[in-house]
Amino acid sequence: MFASLLLLSLQAASPAPEALDALLRREVAQVALAQVRRMDPSWHPAQRDCAGLVRFTFRGAYRRFHPERLASPLWRDDSGAPSDFADAEMLLMHSFVPLGRDEAARESLRTGDLVAFRQERDAGPLFHLMLVVRPEDKAHAPTRVVYHPGEKGAAVRTGILQSLVTEAPLEWRPVPQNTAFLGFFRFKEWMR
């Protein structure tokens, strides 16, 4: 009897996986949007780029709602081993899964998903990530993207996803015709 009561109290104390994912997604949105207003001083300046924003917001969300998960790093390195650091390419390859590149994938986006690009440069490929912030009630607010442009000292920016689709320079449009657009991605642990 006592063991049954203890088990029930433990189950009540920890939310169901779907509820935990919803809490984590909301916190990712809060942390990301807070960086637009004023970058958190605990976000180390050397880590301030697009991948750094993803790492910082996810760690912040987990720190608040699932701190025990941070006992092991969230990210994976080239070999697939847990790692505290992953650049944009490593995040896409080992910690996120592709959702697609078409309108249906765009419509299925949820907060915490990524919009990813790869630009070919003389110095090699340049990856760029944008975090999706989608309101729970789509009728009251548009889906946004939040991103750091990568330049030292630059501010975190936000914009409307649909505007990016229709108004951005072609190389930054998340549309199938853009070969630099890698697609939309979701954190592997949120693939329920």
Side-chain angles (χ1 to χ4, degrees), residues 51 54-55 75 86-96 129:
V54 172
R55 292 188 310 269
W75 320 117
D87 63 16
E89 183 178 16
M90 289 301 104
L91 287 172
L92 294 176
M93 289 178 60
H94 300 294
S95 298
F96 286 78
L129 307 177

Side-chain angles (χ1 to χ4, degrees), residues 52-65:
L53 178 64
V54 172
R55 292 188 310 269
F56 183 78
T57 58
F58 273 72
R59 280 189 192 119
Y62 275 90
R63 192 174 300 110
R64 178 153 185 218
F65 288 109

Side-chain angles (χ1 to χ4, degrees), residues 122-164:
D122 290 339
L126 172 74
F127 289 83
H128 185 59
L129 307 177
M130 298 178 175
L131 268 167
V132 172
V133 175
R134 174 167 246 159
E136 291 175 21
D137 182 356
K138 299 174 195 173
H140 289 100
T143 300
R144 304 190 73 77
V145 291
V146 180
Y147 62 97
H148 189 287
E151 294 90 23
K152 186 177 175 117
V156 173
R157 301 174 186 169
T158 186
I160 309 265
L161 179 60
Q162 186 57 39
S163 296
L164 192 64

Side-chain angles (χ1 to χ4, degrees), residues 50-131:
C50 64
L53 178 64
V54 172
R55 292 188 310 269
F56 183 78
T57 58
F58 273 72
R59 280 189 192 119
Y62 275 90
R63 192 174 300 110
R64 178 153 185 218
F65 288 109
H66 193 34
E68 58 277 9
R69 171 59 185 88
L70 295 177
S72 173
L74 292 174
W75 320 117
R76 301 283 171 180
D77 64 15
D78 275 339
S79 67
S83 176
D84 286 321
F85 179 85
D87 63 16
E89 183 178 16
M90 289 301 104
L91 287 172
L92 294 176
M93 289 178 60
H94 300 294
S95 298
F96 286 78
V97 295
L99 299 173
R101 300 177 71 240
D102 59 8
E103 188 175 339
R106 188 170 67 240
E107 287 301 314
S108 75
L109 292 175
R110 299 178 67 198
T111 295
D113 292 343
L114 302 179
V115 182
F117 298 89
R118 177 185 168 165
Q119 302 283 338
E120 294 301 327
R121 305 293 164 113
D122 290 339
L126 172 74
F127 289 83
H128 185 59
L129 307 177
M130 298 178 175
L131 268 167

